[in-house]
Amino acid sequence: MSADTIGNLGDIPDLSGIAAQDATSEPWADGWYEGTIMEERRFTDSNGSERVFESGDTPSQAGDSRNIKLQVIVKRQLDGRALNTSAQVNYRPEDLTQETIQAVVKRQEEAGPGEQLGDLFRPFMTLTRLARLQKIAGVRQFQRNGNGGLDLAALYGKKAYFRLGDDPRTGGKYKEIKDLRFDTPKRAKIL
């Protein structure tokens, strides 16, 4: 660029649309938001590197369970601002056996109001979360993906509701998905 060009910049365009959202934007409150489950999320980080986060079902680090990780974009009704985040559901293959499912159902039938499920609490929570994911996907049951996990393709592009709360690993600096559901929460406002 010549010195002549630098001296004659002309009209300065409106750059307000380029400015990154910063501390002046409204913080994300704890609560329910509508969101969409994505197969993957791509973006360029602050160092200029392209980042890709994929949804999928993979073995856990310990190898004794599996992790369903879903890439989610939630939108705030107040200003239409989007937040990229992820939801995770951990399960053990034995949680999905007929024996475990029947044991959970039987214990629920036998337990009175407020009674604990004891050693079946973890499988109960896993089955509850997987049932919600199936309802979001609109399928009766997930199929296997050929790699030992569940095929999650039926979830991609589906809308659902996600409850955000402080991520304890970050001292509340970031939000994480605490719960999800396929239908509109009845007792809570959608933020």
Side-chain angles (χ1 to χ4, degrees), residues 120-135:
L120 291 175
F121 180 74
R122 185 186 190 292
F124 166 76
M125 290 305 298
T126 297
L127 295 170
T128 300
R129 290 181 183 122
L130 290 174
R132 288 179 185 170
L133 290 178
Q134 286 177 308
K135 286 197 175 218

Side-chain angles (χ1 to χ4, degrees), residues 92 94-111 115-129:
R92 294 181 180 143
E94 59 268 19
D95 294 339
L96 304 180
T97 64
Q98 285 302 315
E99 296 80 21
T100 301
I101 294 169
Q102 289 170 0
V104 168
V105 169
K106 183 178 179 188
R107 180 83 54 90
Q108 280 184 287
E109 290 170 354
E110 294 172 350
E115 285 190 45
Q116 300 296 319
L117 296 174
D119 60 338
L120 291 175
F121 180 74
R122 185 186 190 292
F124 166 76
M125 290 305 298
T126 297
L127 295 170
T128 300
R129 290 181 183 122

Side-chain angles (χ1 to χ4, degrees), residues 117-174:
L117 296 174
D119 60 338
L120 291 175
F121 180 74
R122 185 186 190 292
F124 166 76
M125 290 305 298
T126 297
L127 295 170
T128 300
R129 290 181 183 122
L130 290 174
R132 288 179 185 170
L133 290 178
Q134 286 177 308
K135 286 197 175 218
I136 292 168
V139 299
R140 187 162 177 247
Q141 68 186 58
F142 287 114
Q143 302 300 312
R144 294 286 178 189
N145 66 8
N147 294 323
L150 301 175
D151 183 354
L152 306 174
L155 285 165
Y156 304 150
K158 299 290 180 155
K159 294 200 179 297
Y161 296 92
F162 302 89
R163 185 171 58 87
L164 296 182
D166 287 340
D167 183 343
R169 298 169 296 188
T170 65
K173 183 177 179 182
Y174 296 104

Side-chain angles (χ1 to χ4, degrees), residues 56-69 88-96 122-123 126 129-130 144-145 147-150:
D57 181 340
T58 59
S60 67
Q61 192 171 16
D64 62 346
S65 62
R66 296 192 65 86
N67 291 319
I68 293 174
K69 189 156 192 170
Q88 185 166 309
V89 176
N90 177 271
Y91 69 95
R92 294 181 180 143
E94 59 268 19
D95 294 339
L96 304 180
R122 185 186 190 292
T126 297
R129 290 181 183 122
L130 290 174
R144 294 286 178 189
N145 66 8
N147 294 323
L150 301 175

